[in-house]
Each structure stands twice: as C-alpha cells, then as structure tokens.
C-alpha cells in the first residue's frame, strides 16, 4: 500500500531503499535493520523484520552484527 511519496528514501538516504514506481523497495540483503524507514513512513506500510523477533533473537542479531 505504498503511496510513492519517497519520504523514506529521501530522509534516510539508506542504500537498501530504492524507488521503483509506483512504490519503494527494500533490498533485504543490504538492510542493516536500523528501522529508520519504518519511523518515517507516513502510511506505516514498512514493517520491521525485527518486530517479529523475540528480545533474545534481537540481542543475538545485534551481537552478531557488531562482531562483523
């Protein structure tokens, strides 16, 4: 249900986001999980993959990302 406002792309400048009309697309492999795009989406259609994680999974994910 992306309305194509491009706000997520313009404000965050995230390399994982790209705009392919009529909507924005997220490259899951390039996504670092910062969730900035989730915060700036006016229509709330971007859902964080971390929202479905348990606190233990989030902690393990952050630890693993910091090790790299």
């Amino acid at each position: 249900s992306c309305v194509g406002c491009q706000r997520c792309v313009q404000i965050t400048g995230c390399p994982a986001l790209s705009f392919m009309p009529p909507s924005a697309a997220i490259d899951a492999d390039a996504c670092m999980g910062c969730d900035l795009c989730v915060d700036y989406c006016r229509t709330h259609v971007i859902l964080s993959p971390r929202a479905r994680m348990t606190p233990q999974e989030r902690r393990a994910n952050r630890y693993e990302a910091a090790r790299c």
Side-chain angles (χ1 to χ4, degrees):
S1 297
C2 177
V3 295
C5 70
Q6 299 185 39
R7 187 173 190 219
C8 58
V9 177
Q10 293 170 350
I11 292 176
T12 65
C14 178
L17 289 169
S18 61
F19 185 72
M20 291 188 270
S23 64
I26 301 171
D27 179 2
D29 294 329
C31 179
M32 297 301 290
C34 68
D35 293 343
L36 285 176
C37 56
V38 174
D39 295 337
Y40 287 109
C41 182
R42 289 182 177 157
T43 55
H44 307 289
V45 295
I46 300 174
L47 302 175
S48 171
R50 294 187 302 161
R52 294 181 296 272
M53 296 172 120
T54 66
Q56 293 82 13
E57 289 172 325
R58 272 186 251 143
R59 188 176 328 118
N61 218 13
R62 283 194 307 267
Y63 177 75
E64 198 58 40
R67 288 184 56 201
C68 295

